[in-house]
Amino acid sequence: MAQRYVRVKTPQGQTYYGLLNLNRSVEVLDAPPWLGGQSSDLTLEPDSYELLAPCAPSKIVAVGKNYRNHAAEMGTAVPEEPLLFLKPPTTVTANGQPIFYPKQSQRVDYEGELAIVIGDRAKDCTLEQALSKIWGYTIANDVTARDLQSKDVQWTRAKGFDSFCPLGPWIVRELSAGAQLQTFLNDAAEPQQSAPISDMVFSPEFLVSYISQIMTLLPGDVVLTGTPAGIGPMQVGDRIRVEIEGIGSLENFVAAR
């Protein structure tokens, strides 16, 4: 199994980065792993911490319509260049935590996605340089108030509510190019979304290079790479699980705000 890098909080309120062991204990690092964190003498036992989102990004850069089948279901063409938008850091929430349904919306959708975690400052990168700036991969749910997205000219409100970016549960360093992404609603046997990440129009390294020509990406920043076809609404009480082969699963539930 690939090493799983986590971010945790103790009952005393201390936050640590660490390596998750098979028995669920955490080997604490002395700094974020992308900043060269090394093993310390501290190990947290399985019941002695809370699992947080695996990083605390300064920004989340998201990409719209990066799967042809999703662009088609939205009734639009694939953009000629990556379609970018931002989600505020306050949207980030952890595995197992609620997605809060805002009173302003009548339709809130799931969007399962592969998320890139940046490991080094990235500015004006070539494709080769961009690949080296990708530290690892995790899972995201780009939750969207679909009715507000249709209503507004831009997407800040629809994408920006607190809890609208579940992230986690951990980061892995490597991922197969053909890894399957699947999204499940409640106890359904069949996934709502299912596609290999190789179906992306613009590859992870292309996205990082492209974004770095616009804004500087900082260590710990997150890039959401787009969602495949099969998006759909969630209701209060629903559970949504996004799985990516080689990473694991991210599960959250929907609660009234």
Side-chain angles (χ1 to χ4, degrees):
M1 179 179 288
Q3 288 186 315
R4 298 170 293 174
Y5 293 85
V6 295
R7 181 170 156 264
V8 299
K9 184 169 73 173
T10 68
Q12 295 74 34
Q14 296 167 303
T15 299
Y16 297 109
Y17 289 89
L19 272 169
L20 183 66
N21 295 319
L22 289 177
N23 67 357
R24 307 294 291 190
S25 67
V26 172
E27 183 181 329
V28 171
L29 304 177
D30 58 11
W34 44 88
L35 297 182
Q38 300 296 311
S39 294
S40 67
D41 295 330
L42 179 61
T43 298
L44 302 177
E45 295 305 314
D47 295 329
S48 67
Y49 63 82
E50 174 190 354
L51 196 64
L52 304 176
C55 56
S58 76
K59 56 185 168 295
I60 304 153
V61 187
V63 182
K65 303 176 185 176
N66 197 29
Y67 287 76
R68 296 184 190 281
N69 55 9
H70 173 55
E73 76 175 345
M74 297 295 286
T76 60
V78 174
E80 293 183 5
E81 297 179 280
L83 175 60
L84 304 182
F85 58 93
L86 294 171
K87 292 174 79 82
T90 46
T91 58
V92 172
T93 193
N95 180 66
Q97 295 302 306
I99 298 166
F100 291 108
Y101 204 115
K103 60 185 179 181
Q104 296 94 327
S105 177
Q106 300 302 310
R107 175 169 170 169
V108 174
D109 285 9
Y110 56 81
E111 292 190 11
E113 306 198 8
L114 173 69
I116 298 166
V117 179
I118 300 298
D120 191 18
R121 188 175 185 273
K123 181 177 175 62
D124 295 329
C125 292
T126 65
L127 281 176
E128 293 74 17
Q129 291 168 335
L131 191 58
S132 72
K133 304 297 184 181
I134 297 174
W135 193 86
Y137 305 90
T138 189
I139 306 170
N141 188 345
D142 176 21
V143 180
T144 304
R146 192 69 64 199
D147 52 349
L148 302 183
Q149 184 184 30
S150 299
K151 181 179 180 181
D152 295 348
V153 176
Q154 45 73 41
W155 301 352
T156 301
R157 181 165 65 139
K159 300 279 192 176
F161 287 98
D162 289 359
S163 78
F164 268 29
C165 189
L167 198 66
W170 42 69
I171 301 167
V172 300
R173 297 298 311 274
E174 305 290 339
L175 194 64
S176 168
Q180 194 79 8
L181 184 158
Q182 294 188 309
T183 303
F184 295 86
L185 187 64
N186 296 320
D187 295 319
E190 295 298 318
Q192 307 297 116
Q193 296 179 289
S194 183
I197 60 173
S198 57
D199 279 1
M200 287 181 199
V201 177
F202 302 108
S203 68
E205 60 267 29
F206 184 92
L207 294 174
V208 171
S209 174
Y210 182 88
I211 294 165
S212 78
Q213 314 294 323
I214 303 163
M215 66 189 81
T216 301
L217 292 167
L218 301 176
D221 281 352
V222 168
V223 176
L224 306 187
T225 59
T227 196
I231 59 169
M234 302 180 293
Q235 307 298 330
V236 171
D238 282 348
R239 288 175 290 104
I240 193 74
R241 185 176 78 255
V242 184
E243 298 181 354
I244 298 181
E245 185 181 8
I247 302 178
S249 63
L250 170 70
E251 185 167 347
N252 300 85
F253 62 95
V254 184
R257 178 157 171 159

